[in-house]
Amino acid sequence: MGFLKPNYIAKVAMEAGTKKANLPLKNMLILGFLGGAFISLGYLLDIRVTANLPESWGTFGSFLGAAVFPLGLILILLAGGELLTGNMMAVSMACIAKKVSVGKLLYNWIWITISNFVGAVFVAYVFGHLAGLISEGPFLIKTIAFAEGKLSEGFWPSFYSAIGCNWLVGLAVWLSYGSEEMSGKILSIWFPIMAFVAIGFQHVVANMFIIPAAIFAGHFGWMDFLRNFIPVFLGNAVGGSIFVSLAYWIAYNDDLKDETLSKT
């Protein structure tokens, strides 16, 4: 199973971010919708797997949910999709390297945020509410518990939790760039995503699914969602752009200028 050197991954991430920033708007909207939907399907799978587990299983039940949640990012990176938190790492890398402007970075983040939200709400409403997959019984109880857990944290705890989340999500995307095989990409995605879910970190796109799903079930309100969205968005931005992109750009900046940089 081949893999790339960390300094070469920095080059791949920079090139990926440049490509993402220059996507036509149509592509951003379609792929962003898919990205939001795929993350939501992973969360929906988590709920369906764990809601009926006995309490005596303790944190092992949480681990099972965390173990299936990575489906979302696997679909995005292997099948195709655009995810805000991943772009907070990749497009930031291109911006720090001066391959794209701050304006293009913000343009990408804004449209991917909107399209991720539409995709996430689509899954929450159509599959969660209309199809009734999380609208009653233990599935509803689990959904409300997840949403309440996100909303119960204050501004700063949510912000710091979101930093940890996108440090791991950014690393999952980063590691996936380091493999040229599907099996390697899946493994590199699975461990960091499983970790952030098991820890309980806050992910802005995942919250675009779970909180609206609870709202559609008659719990909480859209102002609650907005109060959560702001600190989590900001924390995710810091986690991906500073703790991954800026850190590795500082570490490998000289290598990126080397035209003879090899993959291995």
Side-chain angles (χ1 to χ4, degrees), residues 225-241:
F225 170 79
L226 184 61
R227 281 192 291 269
N228 173 267
F229 172 84
I230 295 171
V232 176
F233 179 96
L234 295 174
N236 283 169
V238 171
S241 62

Side-chain angles (χ1 to χ4, degrees), residues 9 17 192:
I9 296 175

Side-chain angles (χ1 to χ4, degrees), residues 1-247:
M1 186 182 298
F3 63 93
L4 308 180
K5 293 190 302 185
N7 56 356
Y8 198 88
I9 296 175
K11 180 180 179 180
V12 174
M14 180 182 67
E15 292 171 348
T18 303
K19 184 176 180 180
K20 288 174 180 293
N22 288 291
L23 283 173
L25 180 58
K26 170 179 66 69
N27 297 55
M28 287 189 193
L29 295 178
I30 294 172
L31 294 173
F33 173 87
L34 293 176
F38 291 163
I39 290 295
S40 301
L41 289 172
Y43 215 149
L44 179 61
L45 179 60
D46 180 345
I47 294 169
R48 295 291 298 186
V49 166
T50 62
N52 276 317
L53 295 178
E55 291 186 14
S56 60
W57 284 31
T59 56
F60 182 69
S62 299
F63 169 75
L64 289 178
V68 299
F69 189 99
L71 169 70
L73 192 58
I74 290 170
L75 289 175
I76 289 168
L77 292 176
L78 272 65
E82 290 289 307
L83 181 66
L84 174 62
T85 47
N87 288 17
M88 285 174 168
M89 183 279 289
V91 181
S92 293
M93 189 70 179
C95 185
I96 293 168
K98 298 183 179 179
K99 298 295 182 180
V100 301
S101 66
V102 173
K104 277 202 168 185
L105 177 144
L106 294 176
Y107 180 85
N108 178 270
W109 285 12
I110 289 169
W111 285 113
I112 297 302
T113 298
I114 292 170
S115 53
N116 279 177
F117 177 76
V118 174
V121 170
F122 173 85
V123 173
Y125 188 72
V126 174
F127 300 139
H129 184 66
L130 296 182
L133 292 175
I134 53 175
S135 62
E136 59 184 19
F139 306 109
L140 176 58
I141 294 171
K142 192 73 172 181
T143 299
I144 295 169
F146 274 143
E148 187 173 25
K150 305 301 181 184
L151 294 171
S152 63
E153 295 184 2
F155 184 98
W156 290 111
S158 296
F159 173 78
Y160 292 123
S161 175
I163 291 175
C165 171
N166 216 28
W167 195 351
L168 286 169
V169 174
L171 285 172
V173 177
W174 184 275
L175 290 174
S176 77
Y177 291 158
S179 174
E180 297 179 322
E181 300 175 354
M182 274 200 169
S183 57
K185 289 181 180 294
I186 291 171
L187 280 174
S188 63
I189 293 165
W190 187 85
F191 280 99
I193 301 304
M194 177 277 294
F196 108 68
V197 177
I199 292 169
F201 285 147
Q202 296 236 28
H203 186 277
V204 66
V205 180
N207 289 6
M208 290 176 183
F209 164 76
I210 196 63
I211 299 173
I215 292 172
F216 294 142
H219 299 264
F220 313 114
W222 289 105
M223 284 306 298
D224 296 313
F225 170 79
L226 184 61
R227 281 192 291 269
N228 173 267
F229 172 84
I230 295 171
V232 176
F233 179 96
L234 295 174
N236 283 169
V238 171
S241 62
I242 295 178
F243 283 77
V244 183
S245 296
L246 181 60

